[in-house]
Amino acid sequence: MRSETIVPPPRSALGSGRLLLLIALFVGIAVRVGWAMLRRTPWATGEAPNVAMALAQGHGFSDAFMAGQGPTAHLLPLAPAIAGAVYWLFGIRTIAAEAVLCAWSIGISFASYALLYLVFKRLGTPRWARLGALVFLLVAPIYTTNEAFEWRVWEGGLGLLLGNLTLYTVVRADTGQPVRRSGLWLAVLPALTFFVNPVVGLAAYAGWALYLWRNQRSLSRIARATVATLLALALLVGPWTARNWLAMGHPIPLRDDLGMELAVANYPEAVHGDDRNKVFYDRLTAIQPYIHPIAQRAMIEAGGEVAYSQKLGRETKAWIAAHPADFLLLCRRHLGQMTLPGTWMFMTSHGVWLPVVRSWLARTVNILGFLGLAFALARRSPRYLYVLPFVIGPALLYIPFQPVIRYCWLIYPALACLAGDFVARVWLHVGRRHRRQALLNRLHPHSRPEPAPAP
């Protein structure tokens, strides 16, 4: 798509783009590695690392909440399996293993950012605006814990990388330069993205469907593409479902944690509690079995992981049915927290001021990004529709659940690029007005109206 001519800031202000990018890359890596070295626990925490360690020890896909728990379907398998392989090769939580996983986590984060740079290049965003957004993503210390720790084992980083690869593939194909064997990639990538992270996977499928609608006029081609990607998805989901049936006693196609996640987000104290951070962690302590003995005993008494999640789900759905207004209030709050994350959501950060700075930086980026998306759609730039599901999709799909920073990060990189695009369009608009006024002044130097004589 032809990009509009936008006069960039003076070159002296930006310096060499390549040099600026290299400096940003060096600073970004140094910040994240330094963050990893200074943190009290120099490894990822939570259920996913537990599963990775169980895999490395030969216990299979198990022990999500505690050692000896047994088989689990609390998570999808690919991301923990990668970390489990690293632990098996280099030792569990050894310096070598954590260094490899830290490099993996930072690498897939930065690769996602680079893919978005290429996407917005094809959407027509000027180079200086794309470069500014990429430099900000590399340097800004907003989601440092996710980039340095979480994506070592959790699925969000890998899922968004695959989602952005799908987005790049469809945008490149739509602009007339499809990648080699693009049909195969467009069959496999959405399915693989969905199997790693279903929320991002649905966005990838939305982009895939939009591409088919815009470019494949033949019903037979649409049918072939649909069959191909459904077959790819079946080859991933089918064996996993069979495994869960054999190991868990239930044919679980994805994860069995829906009831628990619904219960974490929807309960009376969430409606009326003032201290969001305390209310959230009190709820986790009460019902989340990870390192919480009371919840662990409740899970065992309920009959295991699946039965416990189903029990929580039934109780929460009954509460929602009895309190629909409270549920809608919580959904509104969740949407606000997902799109404009509050300070309390960053309270795992060191210090008092860093969570505040992170929150305000994240909010500023997201607001500018949403303005950029709205401005692009108002200009009727159809290819920006490919970005839409990657921003709106996760924000809406997480409404019934309690957003955490791990979820908020999923929409942040695209919004940062949209923010850069918005700044470029504003620069274009202001520049046009100045040039138009300067031209009028040259053509009609004496056209200014004379002041009216005093009475």
Side-chain angles (χ1 to χ4, degrees), residues 76-78 190-198 201 233 236-238 240 253-254:
L76 284 164
L78 190 54
L192 187 58
T193 305
F194 184 85
F195 190 61
V196 172
N197 186 308
L233 185 60
L236 293 167
V237 173
W240 176 244
L254 295 173

Side-chain angles (χ1 to χ4, degrees), residues 82-337:
I82 293 172
V86 173
Y87 282 151
W88 179 73
L89 286 171
F90 297 99
I92 293 175
R93 290 180 172 172
T94 61
I95 293 177
E98 295 304 330
V100 170
L101 289 175
C102 184
W104 164 255
S105 183
I106 297 171
I108 59 178
S109 300
F110 285 9
S112 280
Y113 303 157
L115 283 169
L116 286 172
Y117 176 90
L118 297 176
V119 167
F120 279 82
K121 176 181 180 180
R122 293 191 169 273
L123 293 179
T125 301
R127 182 174 182 270
W128 65 267
R130 286 183 278 119
L131 185 63
L134 181 57
V135 167
F136 182 86
L137 286 168
L138 293 175
V139 172
I142 302 176
Y143 294 94
T144 317
T145 301
N146 300 97
E147 297 157 334
F149 286 97
E150 302 283 357
W151 309 146
R152 300 184 189 191
V153 188
W154 290 94
E155 79 287 345
L158 180 59
L160 191 61
L161 175 64
L162 294 169
N164 285 342
L165 187 56
T166 305
L167 176 61
Y168 172 72
T169 303
V170 295
V171 170
R172 176 167 173 166
D174 193 274
T175 53
Q177 292 184 316
V179 299
R180 187 179 180 184
R181 299 185 181 275
S182 61
L184 176 62
W185 284 113
L186 288 177
V188 172
L189 278 175
L192 187 58
T193 305
F194 184 85
F195 190 61
V196 172
N197 186 308
V199 170
V200 181
L202 289 175
Y205 267 117
W208 168 86
L210 177 62
Y211 170 76
L212 291 184
W213 177 71
R214 281 176 51 84
N215 296 277
Q216 302 293 338
R217 302 303 180 187
S218 168
L219 288 178
S220 62
R221 291 183 178 180
I222 293 176
R224 285 199 297 269
T226 303
V227 169
T229 194
L230 290 179
L231 178 61
L233 185 60
L235 291 174
L236 293 167
V237 173
W240 176 244
T241 304
R243 176 266 175 194
N244 290 336
W245 201 344
L246 293 173
M248 310 291 297
H250 298 268
I252 303 164
L254 295 173
R255 299 171 61 174
D256 64 8
D257 68 329
L258 186 64
M260 183 185 300
E261 297 299 333
L262 200 64
V264 166
N266 302 281
Y267 53 100
E269 290 79 6
V271 179
H272 306 293
D274 295 327
D275 188 338
R276 298 271 185 266
N277 189 49
K278 182 178 185 303
V279 168
F280 176 56
Y281 280 101
D282 285 348
R283 184 61 170 173
L284 289 182
T285 302
I287 69 168
Q288 226 284 2
Y290 174 69
I291 71 171
H292 301 130
I294 295 175
Q296 289 175 357
R297 288 195 296 270
M299 183 179 70
I300 294 170
E301 291 171 0
E305 177 183 298
V306 177
Y308 183 59
S309 184
Q310 291 175 345
K311 174 179 176 291
L312 290 174
R314 287 192 301 269
E315 293 171 353
T316 305
K317 290 173 184 176
W319 180 84
I320 291 172
H323 304 84
D326 288 343
F327 175 66
L328 291 176
L329 173 63
L330 289 175
C331 286
R332 181 181 62 79
R333 285 182 186 171
H334 296 158
L335 180 61
Q337 292 162 0

Side-chain angles (χ1 to χ4, degrees), residues 10-23:
R11 189 172 180 82
S12 59
L14 288 178
S16 169
R18 185 174 298 177
L19 178 61
L20 180 64
L21 185 58
L22 288 174
I23 293 173

